Amino acid sequence: MAGELAISMRGVRKRFGSKCVLDGIDLDVHAGEIVGYVGPNGSGKSTTIKLLLGILPDFEGEIRVAGFDPRHAALEIKRRVGYVAENAVLYESLTIAEFLLFVGRVHGLDDATIERRAVACLESLELEQRVSSRISELSKGMRQKVLLTAALLHRPQVLLFDEPLSGLDVHSQMLVKEVLRQFAQAGRAVLFSSHVMDVVERLCTRIAILDGGQLVAHGTFDELTRTLRGGSLEGIFAAITGDGDAQERATRIVRAIES
Amino acid sequence: MSVRGNPWSSRKSSSFLVNATLWAADRSRRWIELAGIDFAVFRVVLEQRVRMGTEAKFGGQPGAMTVGLGMILVGFALVMAGLGSGVAALVTRQPTLWMWIGQGAWIFMLTSLCVNYFANVLLDPSDIGVLASRPVGDRTIVGSRFAEVLLPTALLALCAASAPTVFGAFTLHPLGALVAFPLATLSSGLVVLAGMTLVVALALRVVGPVRFQRVMFWLQLAAAISIGAGPQLANRVIPMGTLTEAYSTHPWLAWVNPIEHHLALYALLGGDFESRTLTLAALVFVLPVALGGLAFALLRQDFIAALADRGELVRSARRGFRPSLFARVGSVVCRSKAARAVFGFTLALTRRERPYLRTVVPMAATTLVMAVVLTRPRASGTAAPMLVAGCLYYLAILPTFVYGVARVSEHAEARWWFDALPFSEPSAALEGGAKAILCGTLLPIAAFACVAASSCFESLAWRDGLLVFVALAALDCVSARFFMRKIPFSTAPSLQIHYRDLVTTFAILAVIGLLVFVHWLSTLHFAVWAAALALYAVAFALGWRALARLTPAP
């Protein structure tokens, strides 16, 4: 049974100059759901997330996140959303603790709450020993763990995760997937954008496939395999997005380089 | 490197600027909230920005100047500039001249500082990636940046006001001088800052977030050129009497001129209670509040969206793999493939990197325009040929900051490419970079200035123009040896200035003096001119050859 509507997009169009990057997106995400949002590079996934957050205010159509319109109430949305960006920027000269204190304070949390929640997250992510290290010294995976912690600190209603498992080791990936499952079970909505198809296939309750700015397929994994007659999400994805024969294209690359 | 102590306790900053800024913010809470700013978030963001500016970028860097030292130097320059006003008070005992000179110098210097530095603080996109997805409003971000530059402005205002106030107190009405000048200086400082914020707000409203950065870049460029060259150009194009006449025939100009408001405040404190004086004096307090209020009222939305847009400042040519004319020069002037590669890379980034464009283009354009404008005869007279040549030789100052800014990239994390690529000779990277900056920035500017001075204004003979160009080219080449120590566009942005760079800058200033002297000698006889030209050509050739042997900093 679907929960309360957390994200709603109706006829969303976004242009950058003459280029249309999103063309008539209709998508709902309910509380308790993890919706996989997949598509080839440049298909408009990150742009969608930026629209949902109100970072890009200029678009056509209707969007509601946690009941708010990002064009008029971006701040209210940001208070309720936990966001992990694909290419996130961090304050390099801050320590992990200083960065998390900064983010928590911006969300209006008191220092004791920030510390309690952050320490619990960092311990589970095996980063508690590095809490005094500057962010500039961290590896990509460690930065990702800091970002995940920062995104969860304020107990968001909606999670917008753009490649959240990027750079994480296997243990941390398993942990984050389990965290997302439990968050969804607790009634939170998750929009999960990733290129790792088997993770999306196993983790997400519904999957939306984006190609060229349009939503080309949408449903549960079982529905997609039934209607599109594929055995795996990777196969379905390749068939829908028209990637064609990978072997033939690889041969073309190798020939060009070898010549 | 780890930070000691309890990582979760709020680290007390030792920086005077951080503590004073937060102290002032706490005491202005009501005003800040009145501007539609979320104070709690504002305070957190402000503390972060001031800390990053004062501690992270400068702290513990050997040989680097601190923010405090930079402030002291600017403050000292303002105290010196204020002496002119003080001396005017001593000599003439005229409050009008005292106020005009003192406030004029302060407003001019602060506006210049605003365009070249404070505007970059206001438009800094570096932390937008962190803040864009957090619940921080547009006004809160603008407010924190405004507050970040407010305390330095107040401190500089104190420096600017010190000499005129002290001298004025002894020679003019004591109460008027002691109260009016400091208040007027603070007021005009606020007017300049609020005016700059208003321009940003209006630009955002008019052009929208997508084109905002590009428009602001061109506005900043136009403003920098106007400030640098405007007074010189006006001095040469508009006869002085015209302005004085216009001012006396249109008394309403006093209402839009802040210095007239300051004079009215002085007159009021001296006992003049006429209604016109009262109204003008009230504007000292009303104008900054009105301008600031209007700016914040306009800045309701889209500021974050405008800075989050990573669009280019200038349109890039869609050439694909076809090299531009300048890029083709690389294959001629660089011997090794590695040097050619870095030449192309550096040349492309001198047209794209925002820190480079935002710093070098306004300063180069200002220096260029000033050098060319100063060669033009005044409205009432002719230009002295030696002054013309001296102005052009001043272009030799450009390398002092161009090479420095060319080290910096906002994408410095891409530096690993240089570590991963098989550079057989580390100096090849420096050679390609230095030649790209020379051929793409410094030499075209020198050539343009010499041709403009020789052809347009006819104030310089062609042979003198040639001598100046070859001298500048030689000096630009030789100075690369001292400034070009790191691979271009591979270092994270920081405002640090090395003492070594300062020493080299002073050395270049001394060499400019020498070049002017040699130029004077060259006007005495053709043989001296020919000898000087040959000497510079040899220096250029040697300097150019030495570019292949540049040694990177350890």
Side-chain angles (χ1 to χ4, degrees):
Chain A
M1 170 112 178
E4 196 179 322
L5 190 60
I7 298 173
S8 156
M9 289 188 268
R10 293 280 173 275
V12 173
R13 278 194 176 77
K14 172 68 188 170
R15 290 177 178 280
F16 287 116
S18 59
K19 190 181 172 195
C20 185
V21 289
L22 287 177
D23 190 7
I25 302 292
D26 291 303
L27 181 68
D28 289 341
V29 182
H30 294 86
E33 275 191 314
I34 305 177
V35 173
Y37 200 55
V38 297
N41 293 333
S43 56
K45 301 186 297 294
S46 299
T47 302
T48 309
I49 292 179
K50 283 179 183 165
L51 292 184
L52 294 175
L53 271 167
I55 296 174
L56 298 174
D58 182 24
F59 61 89
E60 292 169 42
E62 286 300 318
I63 295 181
R64 290 284 182 280
V65 180
F68 294 99
D69 182 344
R71 275 183 285 225
H72 306 299
L75 274 185
E76 294 303 324
I77 291 172
K78 288 172 187 175
R79 286 193 182 110
R80 289 162 176 81
V81 167
Y83 173 52
V84 173
E86 188 181 6
N87 297 311
V89 184
L90 294 158
Y91 287 125
E92 299 285 322
S93 56
L94 294 190
T95 66
I96 293 177
E98 285 169 345
F99 179 71
L100 294 175
L101 280 168
F102 168 74
V103 172
R105 285 171 184 165
V106 167
H107 277 286
L109 301 176
D110 61 81
D111 288 4
T113 308
I114 298 168
E115 182 180 348
R116 184 169 46 77
R117 291 182 187 171
V119 166
C121 286
L122 295 174
E123 272 175 6
S124 300
L125 290 163
E126 295 170 342
L127 206 59
E128 78 280 8
Q129 298 299 324
R130 302 295 300 269
V131 77
S132 302
S133 300
R134 291 193 194 274
I135 286 170
S136 56
E137 301 160 15
L138 303 182
S139 68
K140 187 174 189 299
M142 288 175 181
R143 285 160 173 262
Q144 199 68 7
K145 290 175 185 179
V146 175
L147 280 170
L148 285 163
T149 308
L152 301 176
L153 267 184
H154 58 291
R155 261 202 317 233
Q157 289 175 25
V158 179
L159 298 176
L160 301 178
F161 279 15
D162 197 354
E163 291 289 354
L165 306 180
S166 164
L168 292 184
D169 55 53
V170 177
H171 297 299
S172 303
Q173 285 195 20
M174 287 164 63
L175 178 68
V176 171
K177 282 186 274 184
E178 190 51 38
V179 167
L180 288 180
R181 268 196 206 100
Q182 291 191 19
F183 259 97
Q185 281 165 8
R188 291 183 171 87
V190 182
L191 187 69
F192 182 89
S193 169
S194 178
H195 292 295
V196 189
M197 294 298 152
D198 57 337
V199 172
V200 175
E201 185 182 312
R202 275 181 275 135
L203 182 68
C204 299
T205 44
R206 277 191 299 129
I207 298 161
I209 301 178
L210 198 66
D211 188 26
Q214 292 181 324
L215 211 55
V216 289
H218 178 207
T220 62
F221 177 61
D222 289 340
E223 286 168 354
L224 291 178
T225 47
R226 230 182 1 254
T227 44
L228 298 164
R229 296 183 185 175
S232 68
L233 183 59
E234 195 174 73
I236 293 169
F237 181 83
I240 290 181
T241 55
D243 270 2
D245 186 358
Q247 196 179 3
E248 186 193 315
R249 285 183 296 136
T251 309
R252 213 161 51 218
I253 292 172
V254 172
R255 273 193 198 144
I257 300 298
E258 296 289 352
S259 63
Chain B
M1 189 176 71
S2 294
V3 174
R4 290 180 184 178
N6 177 6
W8 296 102
S9 67
S10 292
R11 190 156 50 96
K12 180 80 180 157
S13 176
S14 57
S15 161
F16 166 76
L17 266 182
V18 175
N19 293 322
T21 303
L22 292 178
W23 181 87
D26 289 338
R27 264 129 207 94
S28 317
R29 181 173 186 151
R30 191 177 295 175
W31 287 92
I32 292 165
E33 286 175 339
L34 261 177
I37 291 169
D38 179 341
F39 182 78
V41 176
F42 162 84
R43 197 181 186 283
V44 174
V45 175
L46 176 63
E47 181 181 2
Q48 197 51 47
R49 280 197 65 88
V50 185
R51 260 180 199 263
M52 304 266 284
T54 54
E55 294 173 6
K57 287 179 178 171
F58 297 88
Q61 308 255 11
M65 291 202 337
T66 61
V67 170
L69 185 55
M71 287 274 298
I72 289 168
L73 285 176
V74 178
F76 181 72
L78 282 164
V79 171
M80 290 291 113
L83 282 177
S85 162
V87 170
L90 269 180
V91 175
T92 66
R93 295 180 180 267
Q94 284 289 317
T96 311
L97 206 58
W98 166 71
M99 190 66 89
W100 268 89
I101 293 175
Q103 289 300 320
W106 161 239
I107 291 172
F108 177 80
M109 288 177 82
L110 183 65
T111 309
S112 175
L113 206 59
C114 273
V115 169
N116 291 309
Y117 172 62
F118 291 163
N120 290 344
V121 172
L122 200 61
L123 303 173
D124 175 18
S126 64
D127 58 349
I128 289 297
V130 178
L131 297 173
S133 61
R134 320 268 174 226
V136 186
D138 293 88
R139 276 181 191 160
T140 306
I141 287 188
V142 178
S144 64
R145 287 157 185 232
F146 188 84
E148 187 184 342
V149 295
L150 203 55
L151 187 73
T153 305
L155 292 174
L156 294 178
L158 281 179
C159 295
S162 56
T165 306
V166 172
F167 281 83
F170 286 112
T171 51
L172 304 168
H173 189 277
L175 182 67
L178 285 171
V179 178
F181 205 95
L183 274 178
T185 314
L186 270 176
S187 167
S188 42
L190 282 172
V191 165
V192 171
L193 286 186
M196 181 182 71
T197 315
L198 184 59
V199 170
V200 169
L202 283 171
L204 186 57
R205 270 296 172 102
V206 173
V207 302
V210 176
R211 278 177 295 175
F212 173 73
Q213 288 207 49
R214 192 173 292 174
V215 167
M216 279 313 298
F217 169 69
W218 289 110
L219 273 179
Q220 208 178 340
L221 181 60
I225 294 171
S226 307
I227 292 165
Q232 299 293 343
L233 191 62
N235 194 14
R236 279 160 174 76
V237 176
I238 309 167
M240 199 58 201
T242 316
L243 288 175
T244 323
E245 200 177 306
Y247 206 76
S248 58
T249 50
H250 301 290
W252 59 267
L253 283 172
W255 295 96
V256 294
N257 182 353
I259 300 176
E260 290 292 340
H261 311 161
H262 306 154
L263 275 168
L265 181 65
Y266 171 81
L268 181 74
L269 290 164
D272 178 358
F273 296 109
E274 274 185 34
S275 60
R276 185 175 185 275
T277 311
L278 275 168
T279 319
L280 278 171
L283 285 173
V284 173
F285 307 97
V286 172
L287 192 61
V289 177
L291 282 177
L294 185 60
F296 277 90
L298 288 171
L299 275 166
R300 274 203 312 270
Q301 58 187 27
D302 290 349
F303 187 71
I304 296 170
L307 294 193
D309 189 321
R310 298 191 75 166
E312 289 173 7
L313 294 182
V314 289
R315 273 181 212 284
S316 58
R318 291 178 183 173
R319 294 180 179 279
F321 285 100
R322 196 160 50 88
S324 68
L325 180 67
F326 275 118
R328 275 180 223 158
V329 173
S331 56
V332 178
V333 298
C334 295
R335 284 176 299 176
S336 68
K337 285 184 178 173
R340 272 179 223 161
V342 180
F343 184 98
F345 162 85
T346 307
L347 192 71
L349 288 185
T350 55
R351 270 72 173 153
R352 314 273 164 75
E353 275 278 358
R354 290 189 289 193
Y356 188 86
L357 289 172
R358 281 203 187 284
T359 313
V360 168
V361 177
M363 290 182 91
T366 306
T367 315
L368 175 64
V369 172
M370 279 182 77
V372 175
V373 165
L374 281 169
T375 62
R376 188 185 161 83
R378 284 174 186 274
S380 56
T382 53
M386 281 315 296
L387 176 69
V388 172
C391 294
L392 291 175
Y393 281 119
Y394 185 67
L395 283 171
I397 206 72
L398 283 178
T400 59
F401 64 86
V402 170
Y403 287 120
V405 180
R407 287 174 208 151
V408 168
S409 171
E410 58 183 344
H411 308 292
E413 65 271 23
R415 149 93 214 200
W416 66 269
W417 273 103
F418 282 98
D419 300 330
L421 287 171
F423 276 107
S424 53
E425 295 172 54
S427 58
L430 293 184
E431 181 196 350
K435 286 183 176 173
I437 292 163
L438 274 166
C439 297
T441 304
L442 294 172
L443 295 184
I445 288 174
F448 178 82
C450 292
V451 170
S454 302
S455 60
C456 301
F457 300 140
E458 295 172 0
S459 49
L460 193 71
W462 276 102
R463 72 170 213 191
D464 290 335
L466 179 66
L467 186 67
V468 174
F469 174 72
V470 179
L472 285 175
L475 199 53
D476 289 349
C477 257
V478 173
S479 57
R481 186 177 180 77
F482 300 98
F483 290 112
M484 196 75 194
R485 291 190 299 270
K486 288 191 174 173
I487 295 173
F489 303 114
S490 64
T491 312
S494 76
L495 298 172
Q496 60 177 288
I497 303 164
H498 280 269
Y499 291 116
R500 194 168 39 175
D501 290 349
L502 279 182
V503 171
T504 314
T505 304
F506 283 118
I508 285 179
L509 284 172
V511 172
I512 290 172
L514 185 67
L515 290 177
V516 174
F517 176 69
V518 173
H519 191 94
W520 173 73
L521 287 178
S522 76
T523 58
L524 300 178
H525 198 280
F526 178 78
V528 182
W529 175 86
L533 188 69
L535 182 73
Y536 295 151
V538 169
F540 173 76
L542 292 176
W544 184 265
R545 201 172 290 177
L547 293 177
R549 297 190 300 276
L550 293 174
T551 44

